[in-house]
Amino acid sequence: MTDVTDPLDVPDPLDVTVRHPGAGTAVVTVAGDVDLHTAPTLRAHALAVVERGARHLVLDLARVDFVDSTGLSTLIVLAHATREAGGSLRLADVPGRLLRMVTMTGVSELLPVHPSVDHALAGRTAGPSD
């Protein structure tokens, strides 16, 4: 008898961690692909953080390899959720390929993109001296 793994039994390949550098602020670090299968995980984690009082979120995307349209939609949902809570969503350390997609789709017009988590926490975008 061959041991077959049910695809639903495979652990979620998206790793999401959260840290709170200050009151009302959370850095959500994402590692893996954000796609049709994993975007609900990111959304659930981030919305739970907002519900627990962190109105300002920074998504650290340095370890994200791929984002599809469902992932982009999730970013927009999270932006709306943080705004409704009186806060903000910022993207940090966005890999080049993803940055091109965020720019081409207009998502960068809705969400500030920062070169690092530190810049995002300080509310600074990249400038000539950065």
Side-chain angles (χ1 to χ4, degrees):
M1 184 165 157
T2 306
D3 189 20
V4 177
T5 303
D6 182 341
L8 298 176
D9 291 336
V10 175
D12 196 344
L14 189 70
D15 183 32
V16 179
T17 58
V18 179
R19 68 180 175 91
H20 298 273
T25 301
V27 175
V28 179
T29 301
V30 184
D33 295 344
V34 183
D35 57 23
L36 176 66
H37 303 288
T38 61
T41 299
L42 173 58
R43 181 180 351 189
H45 282 313
L47 290 176
V49 170
V50 173
E51 288 171 6
R52 288 192 300 265
R55 300 175 316 171
H56 301 283
L57 296 183
V58 173
L59 287 184
D60 180 354
L61 302 175
R63 295 176 47 211
V64 171
D65 299 316
F66 173 79
V67 175
D68 70 3
S69 60
T70 307
L72 288 176
S73 178
T74 296
L75 296 179
I76 293 167
V77 166
L78 296 177
H80 289 299
T82 55
R83 285 187 186 123
E84 286 177 13
S88 62
L89 175 66
R90 297 169 186 222
L91 306 180
D93 210 349
V94 181
R97 184 173 15 156
L98 176 54
L99 183 58
R100 285 188 295 281
M101 179 186 280
V102 166
T103 303
M104 286 176 39
T105 59
V107 172
S108 62
E109 298 296 319
L110 301 171
L111 299 170
V113 177
H114 301 271
S116 69
V117 170
D118 289 339
H119 279 86
L121 290 171
R124 296 185 295 154
T125 55
S129 63
D130 287 334

